Amino acid sequence: GATTVPLRCLAEDPGLPLDLGQLPLRDPQGHPTGATISLRCSYVPPGQVAAGNATSQRSEGMAPSLSPPRPTPVRVRVLEGHQLQGSAIKPVVTVLIGEQRFRSRIRAGNNPYYNEVAGGLFGFSGGDFLLLQRLLPRRHRLGLCAVFYSATMLSPMSEPLRFELSIGNHGDTGDTTCHPAASATPQGHPLFDGNRYYYMPWHDSKPVVAVTSTWEDAGQRWDGQNLLHSVGERLHPHVLSPGPPCPCCRPSTPKHGWTRSCAPPACTSCSTSPRPPPPGLRARPGPRCSLRPRPGWAAWPRCRPRCGESPILRAFFWLLDVPPSIPSCSAPSRRPACPTCCCGCGAVPAAWPAPRVPAHRLACSPHGPAACGRLCGRTHTLLLGVGRRAAPGAPPCPLSASSTPPPYPVRYENQMKILGKWSGRTLPGHPSFSDVAGRAGLPRERIRPPKGWRWDGPWAVEPPRRLLPAPEAGMDEVLEEVYENQSRQRGGEWGPAAVPSTDVAGTAVPPKEEVACPQGWHVTDDWRVEVTGAVDEAGWEYGVSVEAGDPSTAWHPKEEMYHTQRRRRWLRTRRRDSGAQGWEQDWHRWSGKEGVWEYASLWGGRFHPRRRAGDVCRRRCWHRLMVPELSSSVAAIFLLEGTSASRWQQHPKAEDTLSTPCLSSSAPSRVSHRVLGEDLGVQGSPTLTLTQDPLTSLPPPAEPSSFQLRCYLFQALELKPHGTRTTADPVAHVSFVHVSQSTRVLPGTLDPVWDQALLFHRVPLYGDPRVQWGFLGRSVCTPKVWLDVGRQKPPRLQRYPLEGPGGPAGELLAAFELLHEAEVRGGWQGGAWGLPEPVPSIHVPGTFSIPPGIRPVLRLMALEVLAWGLRGLRGRSLLPVRAPSLEVQCGGQILRIPPITNLATNPNFPINAFLLTLHLPVEEEYVPPIRLRVLDTQGFGYRPHVGQACVQDLARFRREPDGEEQLPRPRVPVPGPNPGTTLVILPHPAAPQDTEREEEDEEEGDWWSKFYMAMGDTAKSHRRTHRDSLKVYGCELEAVPQFEGLQDFCQTFPLYQPGGHQGDDPVPVGEFKGLFCLYPLPEDPGVPPPPRHFQELPPSQPQQCLVRVYIVRALDLSPRDRNGMCDPYVRVSLGSKTLGQRDQYVPNTVEPVFGRMFEVMGTVPLEKDLRVSLLDHDLLPPDQEIGSTTIDLENRLLSRFRAHCGLPPLYRTAGPGRWRDQLSPSRALEHLAHTRGLQAPEFSAEGTAVTFGGSTFLLSHFERGPPTYRHPGAPRERLALHVLRAWNLVPEHLETRTLYNSAQPGLEQGKVQMWVDIFPASLGPPGPPVDITPRQPQSYELRCVVWNTRDVEPGDINAAGQRMSDIYVTGWLDGLEEQKQRTDVHYRALQGDGSFHWRFVFPFQYLAAERRCVLPQKEHFWSLDETVLKVPPKLILQVWDNDKFSADDFLGVLELELTRLPRPAQRPQDCALKPRLSPWPWGRIGGPPHFSLFRQKQARGWWPCVVHEGGTRRMAGKLELSLELLSEKEAEERPAGKGREEPNAYPTLQPPVRPDSSFLWLRAPLRALRYAVWQRHRCRITVTLALLLLLLLLLNFIYSAPVSTEDPQTPSPAAHRALTHKQSAAIQLCSELLGSHRPPGPGGTPCHHPPPPKSMRVAAGTQCSPRGESGRAAPSP
């Protein structure tokens, strides 16, 4: 990746470094890669002040003149990269600056660390600066002032020490790019406090420093940030105890407030409406920030509104969403408007690390105190080299023109002792007037005030008590020493030397007999000779002097003949009187006239306040105050800006001008700098001193106030040893102001319990005691100040974090209180003020213990230790661990456990249970941790330290004395008359009609059916699988909360290298297996102790075990190939055994399904770590490791949750779910009773009842009726299994473990679903393993015969105008397009009717359990492996119109899903898109509308073809098909060819009869009419003929209907003629219809009947006989 860093800000402010952390890297397309890099860009000063001039001009608002481009040197420090992508990479950084290129060294890893510097030049012209200046925000001049109150806990040094304040490059005395400022304190020598540390003797005169600089105006942002912090600090103490909370928002622990709780409560009734900001906070424009809540409150959003009914809580919860640092929310390249302020401590030539303070914390705002920084005008403490700041103490008091001290120049008058008299004429090289460093300066008479200033009073001598008090100041006991010196005489005897008495440096001092005891002191013992150390029996030490009278440079304890001098040390101790005011005597001792000089033996040496013999030089300090001529609202210390240059122009003589630092637009000349260096030296500024305490508004007292500090030190917790040591000899040093004390030394412990009180008497503090001071001890402990001792309350012990060189170093449990000694005096001994009197310590005489009201209450406790063994120990210096032993330390007591004899054969301890009695605090926060140390036993008694551990939070091991350490007991059935009342949800009995089908499915069910049912994929599982369920955990089995990490028997404690943790992620050197139990003991010795907990322990000998590892599948694997996939395979390692082959990989997937089982024998605990790795198969080895996971088999074998083999829900004796454990359920229940200390279970004779754990269980409580599944076991075993599952043991499960890679630690590489079964060899052979082989597809063959088509839409028109098509059908299975087949073409098919008699044959692989077709195929032709695709079985048939000169026309498609096949129609007229329901019962189709061809095997009928148009389906024809599904074996027994090829069988297909309807008008006109007329108009013709026939029948009926008339006696002639005519017509019509032939007569001639008489009645259709007879008698005439 790459990134671009603009250098505009660096060109604008060269003094402000550009810190760029976590810059995002982008790819060539500009997309983020997820990797970041950290840089630091800075400006390299060229050695001139041109940059400073430019800065001054810009600060004054003057536009620079146009100038040619000039090179600007830039330094880029490449720090480190983070989260670089790739595996086994070797990153390198290339930096381009202008035209220069820099390349870093090659590193390795994804988080490389460089720390390399690159440099370059880039140029800017004047026009560029003008353009930049117009675009830059406004700049303001800022003044920074600091008052130094004290400097303590310093190290001894011989050079003078000073402190300086800087902001950016301004104020740095070593930076030549900025003008000097009054940023440094006067130099001085630290003094010893009498105990351990050194301090600066400022006392009543406090130095003041000031720095003025110009920066971007960031007051608007600072005000908003300070307001948020101010509101949060004011709300914090009220939120800790706001009153009764809502029930859902109780804290997690009673000892912490709500702000300390990290466990979110489960509250569902609270709303999540957004909260408005608290009133009074107005919105300010600026960059938008992403508000991220704190981690502890991330899961508590729903409860905040309800809990926040109080306005305080609502405002506090709103502030919790605000990031702690507003500028950090900006973009990574966003720079602060002003750099941090740096307070450095430096000596010549060494310097100490300087702490930094953000500028916004020191900002003073005109919008009120709330907008000011939290450290503005407040007293706070900075730790040199640590960078940690303590809480502010004193209330803020910003500087103003009336409250700041006036500055004054300082000059030292030097004199030398010449001929016994002091003279101002010094030797060459030693000026009469100088600065504090001894460099020559102007005399005080020739110094004039700068422009705008005037003198305020004459020159005055400054007393040296401000910097040089007595060494014993503030001490109660002083050890005086005098060295007695002798020299060798001419005869070899020893005699008095020329200087008989000296100090340790050889300076002459009065003899010991003349040393008087000062007033207020008394001598405790007489002078004595020190005989300890490198001296002989008489205390002499010997040496050789170069010249006579000079001290020896080296001293030896043994006398030699060439020694010329010897000396011995005389000691005397004196103590201060109890009623004397030591500090008053010390400070007022030098108030006389003679106390204004400081003396020294040589120039350049250390000055002291008292005159000694041998002093040849002295000096005194003169100062004169300066005040501004005009009053101003700006503090006076900031008015010195620019006075040097302006004054220099008016007074060209250097000796008449006071040179002060300037930051004005006009640059001083080289002479000015020379005079500045000669006159003021390194500081280059007048000295600013704050006398007494001017920051208070009250008048300062004349004398300092006396206080008494009480420190109650109880113990220290979790200390880190120094270096490679495993233990330490801790001692606590308490430093306060300029005094310090130490506790007693406790050897060989990291949790010392001092139980000691330290008292500091008569501590002088300057300032008004009525101001609430917040004094800090070692910058981490703040004492409680009590000015009114009558209201004093006993303090409470608190935890103070300890900071070490490498970070946190432990905690200190202590309490501090500061009492005003004016009221304590006289009340300490008699207890007049009601304070707890100190208790003398029983450990060290003369010291005190913590009073009972403050000291924690101790209680007699019993600590049981289960030391099971040590695992994976690695020795040091390539030495193997032979016989390690263990030391357990807690509460000042040590328990030593016997060593392990042979770690290679048995890593467990020979004795496992131990008891330790000790006194521990009752409160949990005061309980010390348990420390573990492992030591090895080597030859010659050498016992090196192998590893150590610290066990914290002992509350988790606390037990009640009479409590039982058991797992959750099962729920007992409720006794009563109703035996059906149970505690287990019973399954509903199966219906009788489904029993046969369930039994059929039971035979088809396998383990994968249970797996898919547990995953919620019911389509891939069989029915009734829910009865034999499987528990799938989404995490590791150790992470399931109810199983307690499988460490209920013993826990694993990592052991680390002695000497503390190395780095952020230390590597353990071994593990300790054990457990602790803590419970109180009775105080009365007569009361018997409670029973021991660790009694029933399993054997600790190693045992052989058969381990079965079932790897099911992997999820979300990290890709390793270029195509974003990988080829994973499994490798299982246990000890030295490794299983898994490279060729058994799953190609081209990130979610492989393995379904593999590995069996391996191992010895537990020698081979306890099972490692499962997934590797990516490559063409050439070695293969890359994707990730791995490690399982502790010992924890699973020893756990009382029975994690070595899960419990299935059903007990079977055969089949896929057969019982596989070594112990039957009844024996497993007996083993459970033995491990829990319960009575053995008692079964009834039938095995349907059992009494266990004080409860009776019946089989009817768990089962209703006989079992419906196959192969059930005996009732005794089924009942025992139900009882075992009721005890919350580990069920039959599948755990999901996360994979990690050592090359990318902490990054998840995927997950693997698996489980492990462990079978000890001592319990017998296990059951058969579970078959988890992935389901294999079966071979099927689908035969589809296309018989006919109907009503297919024709696509062409023939010569006669008829629509026709050349129809053919294609078909294939979905996903198998390469097996596409087609029929022959039916040419000139009129009206879409075609006949084919064609067979399609499709072989395929089918997975019955998942109802999918398995299609192995290669993604590309160059692919080495095939990928498996699963699709539903679907037959696709398409009807096409064949064209000769154009593309074929699509006519319709038919898609048939074989598992859900629609039932076909038996007639083409019944075929439709939606089946029609016939109103007649005999016309309805029986069965469901869909069926599975895999069950029915055959089907024949008509299916509709469809065409999709505009999102709708339209029927485009009908296909008559016959489908037949055969297995591979059946297909071999009944072969059939494709189409009508041989073997043409099953069924035999005859060629279709297809009429030839082309050009038939000449050869067969009738057939042509048939196709031309009949086929098109057959319905109309049929209807017309039917209507004509019906009309004829109707006419016949009308004509032949009889006519009924009356029989008149005498018919009329007309009527008779009409009747005769009708009869004749009817007879004629009947003759025509029946034929013209008549029956012959007797002679063979036709019979002719004579016409009937007129009076005869004739009936039509009546046959006449020869005799005139018919079927009835003839009527009479």
Side-chain angles (χ1 to χ4, degrees), residues 450-467:
K451 182 180 179 180
W453 293 79
R454 60 179 176 85
W455 296 118
D456 186 11
W459 288 91
V461 176
E462 181 180 359
R465 63 181 181 179
R466 179 170 58 88
L467 294 176

Side-chain angles (χ1 to χ4, degrees), residues 313-332:
L313 287 178
R314 283 201 305 269
F316 185 78
F317 285 139
W318 183 84
L319 287 174
L320 285 177
D321 294 336
V322 180
S325 179
I326 299 298
S328 64
C329 300
S330 305

Side-chain angles (χ1 to χ4, degrees), residues 71 163 213 320 449 453 487 589 598 670 757 793 862 925 968 999 1022 1034 1103 1129 1171 1214 1265 1448 1463 1482:
F163 294 84
S213 56
L320 285 177
W453 293 79
S487 60
R589 189 181 304 166
E598 304 170 3
R670 183 174 302 177
K793 297 181 182 179
E925 57 180 337
E999 291 179 357
H1022 296 277
Q1103 51 183 336
Y1129 66 93
R1171 180 182 175 89
D1448 297 346
R1463 193 168 297 276
W1482 55 83

Side-chain angles (χ1 to χ4, degrees), residues 849-1100:
S849 298
I850 300 179
I854 304 175
R855 185 172 182 265
V857 179
L858 303 181
R859 185 177 182 181
L860 184 63
M861 304 289 290
L863 178 63
E864 289 193 32
V865 180
L866 175 62
W868 190 250
L870 300 174
R871 307 289 183 262
L873 290 181
R874 299 195 303 269
R876 304 177 62 183
S877 302
L878 302 179
L879 294 178
V881 180
R882 296 182 178 178
S885 61
L886 180 67
E887 290 185 2
V888 182
Q889 180 181 359
C890 183
Q893 299 189 22
I894 299 178
L895 173 65
R896 293 178 172 84
I897 298 176
I900 300 175
T901 306
N902 192 344
L903 188 65
T905 58
N906 186 6
N908 294 333
F909 290 101
I911 304 176
N912 303 112
F914 300 90
L915 179 64
L916 189 64
T917 304
L918 64 163
H919 290 81
L920 296 178
V922 177
E923 300 184 13
E924 296 292 343
E925 57 180 337
Y926 297 153
V927 177
I930 298 177
R931 295 203 171 265
L932 307 175
R933 285 200 308 164
V934 178
L935 296 88
D936 190 17
T937 304
Q938 300 287 345
F940 304 99
Y942 177 56
R943 302 193 65 192
H945 296 274
V946 180
Q948 64 181 8
C950 180
V951 183
Q952 307 173 6
D953 189 16
L954 300 187
R956 52 179 172 162
F957 305 116
R958 186 179 292 272
R959 302 289 187 272
E960 294 298 330
D962 53 350
E964 297 183 359
E965 186 184 2
Q966 295 181 357
L967 296 176
R969 300 176 62 87
R971 294 174 293 178
V972 183
V974 180
N978 184 10
T981 303
T982 64
L983 297 175
V984 181
I985 300 177
L986 302 177
H988 296 285
Q993 58 271 15
D994 296 340
T995 304
E996 181 179 358
R997 177 165 298 181
E998 290 184 358
E999 291 179 357
E1000 178 184 355
D1001 292 342
E1002 187 66 27
E1003 294 297 332
E1004 299 178 358
D1006 56 356
W1007 182 89
W1008 288 95
S1009 297
K1010 297 193 298 183
F1011 170 73
Y1012 288 121
M1013 179 62 70
M1015 298 300 296
D1017 191 355
T1018 58
K1020 299 181 181 180
S1021 60
H1022 296 277
R1023 287 185 292 269
R1024 295 187 60 190
T1025 311
H1026 63 278
R1027 298 174 58 88
D1028 196 3
S1029 60
L1030 177 70
K1031 183 65 175 179
V1032 178
Y1033 295 108
C1035 58
E1036 291 81 357
L1037 190 61
E1038 292 82 1
V1040 179
Q1042 60 184 359
F1043 299 142
E1044 301 178 6
L1046 300 181
Q1047 296 188 6
D1048 53 293
F1049 176 78
C1050 63
Q1051 298 185 7
T1052 303
F1053 301 95
L1055 301 174
Y1056 297 96
Q1057 189 75 22
H1061 297 254
Q1062 295 83 11
D1064 298 334
D1065 191 10
V1067 179
V1069 297
E1071 295 176 350
F1072 165 70
K1073 291 276 188 178
L1075 194 62
F1076 304 96
C1077 183
L1078 188 65
Y1079 54 89
L1081 292 176
E1083 300 290 343
D1084 188 2
V1087 178
R1092 301 276 294 271
H1093 284 73
F1094 302 132
Q1095 294 182 1
E1096 295 292 338
L1097 301 179
S1100 60

Side-chain angles (χ1 to χ4, degrees), residues 231 276 352 395 406 416 475 489 617 663 674 791 903 963 1121 1295 1537 1597:
V231 174
W352 291 348
M416 181 174 288
M475 302 176 60
Q489 305 297 328
C617 55
L663 292 175
R674 180 179 57 82
R791 301 180 180 179
L903 188 65
D1121 298 337
E1295 57 179 314
F1597 175 76

Side-chain angles (χ1 to χ4, degrees), residues 1157-1213:
M1157 188 272 296
F1158 301 90
E1159 281 189 355
V1160 59
M1161 292 294 298
T1163 303
V1164 180
L1166 298 178
E1167 300 170 336
K1168 70 178 187 66
D1169 292 331
L1170 176 68
R1171 180 182 175 89
V1172 178
S1173 305
L1174 266 65
L1175 290 86
D1176 178 43
H1177 180 273
D1178 293 332
L1179 185 60
L1180 297 177
D1183 299 332
Q1184 296 183 8
E1185 180 181 343
I1186 300 175
S1188 62
T1189 181
T1190 303
I1191 302 175
D1192 193 335
L1193 301 180
E1194 185 181 11
N1195 288 345
R1196 302 197 175 201
L1197 192 60
L1198 296 177
S1199 176
R1200 298 182 180 179
F1201 288 99
R1202 202 177 182 275
H1204 67 278
C1205 185
L1207 295 174
L1210 302 177
Y1211 179 75
R1212 303 171 185 265
T1213 58

Side-chain angles (χ1 to χ4, degrees), residues 1549-1609:
L1549 301 179
Q1550 301 296 332
V1553 179
R1554 298 173 180 172
D1556 191 2
S1557 58
S1558 299
F1559 307 102
L1560 298 180
W1561 296 102
L1562 300 178
R1563 292 186 301 171
L1566 295 180
R1567 183 177 299 179
L1569 290 176
R1570 172 189 172 188
Y1571 286 100
V1573 179
W1574 173 252
Q1575 294 291 345
R1576 299 177 59 183
H1577 306 286
R1578 55 186 175 183
C1579 294
R1580 299 177 182 177
I1581 296 174
T1582 304
V1583 173
T1584 302
L1585 294 177
L1587 291 178
L1588 290 176
L1589 181 60
L1590 181 62
L1591 180 60
L1592 292 176
L1593 292 177
L1594 181 60
L1595 293 176
N1596 185 23
F1597 175 76
I1598 296 175
Y1599 182 79
S1600 60
V1603 180
S1604 98
T1605 58
E1606 296 181 357
D1607 190 11
Q1609 295 294 333

Side-chain angles (χ1 to χ4, degrees), residues 471 625 695 760 765 774-775 1042 1540:
L625 300 181
L695 290 186
F760 293 82
L765 298 178
F775 299 103
Q1042 60 184 359
R1540 291 185 291 272

